[in-house]
Amino acid sequence: MIRNRLSNEGLLMKLTVPVLLLAFAAPAFAQQDYPNKPIRLITPAAQGGTTDILARLFGAKLGEVLKQQVLVDNRASASGVIAGQMTATAPADGYTLLLAYHQHTVNAALNPKLPYHPVDSFTPITQLTSAGLMLVVNPSSPANNLAEFITWTKNFQGALNFGSAGIGSGGHLAGELYKLMAGVKAEHIPYKGAGPAMADLIAGQYHFNFSGLQGSQVQVRAGRLRAIAVTTPKRLPSNPDIPAMAEALPGFEVVGWYGVIGPADLPQPIVKRLHDELVKILNQPDVRGRIEADGSEPVGSSPEEFRRFMHADLEKWAKLVKESGAKLE
């Protein structure tokens, strides 16, 4: 009887070991076979904007090299929170990715009750680009350059107003940073998007705006707005005559970013494959040229560099929100 029991245990062991080996091997096989079905690239923006354009550009290029379709999924509501939550709760298998941008960390600075952590609930893959903003005024403004703008806003009599694409946008926080660093009093006018905000500045409805470079440059070239400065640490090669805010206010920097992230705990082989392919795409001449023409700079950081960058970005915005009193309404 003892012999039978030992025999049965031996048989069970022989059956169990292969099953366990298969169980451990399954994820490895899945990673080696990645991708074997379409990938969903969520974008927290509506169709037609910069975020959507980048998602479709990189999605199409990535689909070509991976031999699988990359489907762009626009989720524009709730300032990107819905897109973030969908990504954070998706399976960590590489088939759900998020084209995140600076609003991703700004949201956490403005709202400590987010259903996820903007960095730790995700796997950073690579930062694609960085881009500053452009400080613009109506051509009727008495400020023709940065020095005159600072003097004008400091000594303004009456209600000084600045507009932005919305609460928590880069333009909003750049305006709050300017108020703090220059000692200026100004009221924020949030709009539902950059387009309406730009239209009202052109119409002279308020006084200044820190707006996206791409849209601002079009209006400046058309003579509808006047460029005062950029928010990058240094002048841009594409606009060498426009000073950086830091030239008059040392330390002033507001730089937006775009990058690709996935759910937390993405397998390292998948992260490496996606990172390597995205950086190769970023270095293609036509892609770099398109990015630089918009006033942005290609980045292509490592996953760990991107993680450190996102943590620092969150810390920076959290400090500014606390000091300025900016909040969601």
Side-chain angles (χ1 to χ4, degrees):
M1 189 167 181
I2 293 175
R3 184 182 300 171
N4 288 338
R5 187 173 65 186
L6 291 174
S7 177
N8 290 338
E9 288 176 352
L11 178 60
L12 181 61
M13 182 64 71
K14 289 180 181 179
L15 292 172
T16 301
V17 170
V19 171
L20 289 174
L21 289 174
L22 285 172
F24 284 118
F29 287 139
Q31 292 167 31
Q32 291 173 4
D33 195 31
Y34 175 83
N36 57 25
K37 63 181 181 180
I39 297 169
R40 179 170 62 160
L41 179 58
I42 300 174
T43 172
Q47 294 184 8
T50 302
T51 312
D52 177 64
I53 292 171
L54 276 177
R56 294 184 186 281
L57 172 63
F58 280 89
K61 296 274 189 179
L62 190 60
E64 290 175 8
V65 296
L66 295 181
K67 309 300 182 186
Q68 283 290 342
Q69 190 174 10
V70 177
L71 305 171
V72 176
D73 185 356
N74 297 86
R75 301 284 176 160
S77 55
S79 298
V81 175
I82 290 177
Q85 188 170 15
M86 288 175 63
T87 307
T89 57
D93 55 10
Y95 291 99
T96 300
L97 304 173
L98 174 67
L99 183 69
Y101 68 113
H102 40 272
Q103 191 70 42
H104 184 73
T105 44
V106 170
N107 283 337
L110 287 167
N111 181 10
K113 297 182 179 179
L114 281 183
Y116 53 81
H117 188 279
V119 186
D120 299 340
S121 298
F122 300 88
T123 300
I125 296 170
T126 190
Q127 181 185 348
L128 297 175
T129 68
S130 67
L133 303 172
M134 183 179 285
L135 171 59
V136 287
V137 297
N138 188 282
S140 64
S141 169
N144 293 291
N145 53 52
L146 182 54
E148 290 181 1
F149 176 81
I150 293 174
T151 300
W152 173 57
T153 54
K154 277 189 171 185
N155 299 299
F156 192 87
Q157 299 296 314
L160 180 67
N161 299 312
F162 74 97
S164 81
I167 295 172
S169 65
H172 174 203
L173 296 181
E176 297 293 347
L177 181 61
Y178 174 70
K179 287 165 55 179
L180 282 172
M181 295 187 70
V184 167
K185 292 183 179 180
E187 290 297 321
H188 173 230
I189 302 175
Y191 284 81
K192 293 182 178 180
M198 194 74 74
D200 266 12
L201 183 60
I202 292 171
Q205 296 299 310
Y206 61 93
H207 301 99
F208 65 94
N209 187 319
F210 288 92
S211 187
L213 280 165
Q214 185 177 10
S216 296
Q217 289 179 122
V218 172
Q219 301 303 331
V220 169
R221 289 167 185 159
R224 300 188 187 97
L225 292 175
R226 178 183 298 149
I228 298 296
V230 292
T231 64
T232 47
K234 299 179 181 179
R235 298 189 184 205
L236 294 170
S238 58
N239 292 281
D241 296 331
I242 302 175
M245 292 290 295
E247 293 177 29
L249 299 171
F252 191 106
E253 179 184 350
V254 178
V255 178
W257 55 268
Y258 289 90
V260 178
I261 62 180
D265 301 320
L266 273 183
Q268 184 57 33
I270 290 178
V271 174
K272 186 178 187 310
R273 176 84 189 278
L274 289 170
H275 170 270
D276 291 352
E277 298 298 352
L278 286 168
V279 171
K280 287 178 186 176
I281 293 168
L282 190 62
N283 287 323
Q284 291 178 8
D286 60 324
V287 175
R288 290 187 70 89
R290 186 167 180 174
I291 289 170
E292 290 170 349
D294 290 340
S296 301
E297 296 182 29
V299 179
S301 56
S302 70
E304 190 50 44
E305 287 171 337
F306 192 21
R307 180 179 294 278
R308 289 196 297 269
F309 171 85
M310 290 175 69
H311 272 297
D313 201 53
L314 173 60
E315 184 178 347
K316 176 179 70 175
W317 293 130
K319 181 180 179 182
L320 176 60
V321 167
K322 182 178 180 180
E323 292 177 350
S324 68
K327 58 184 178 180
L328 294 171
E329 292 181 358

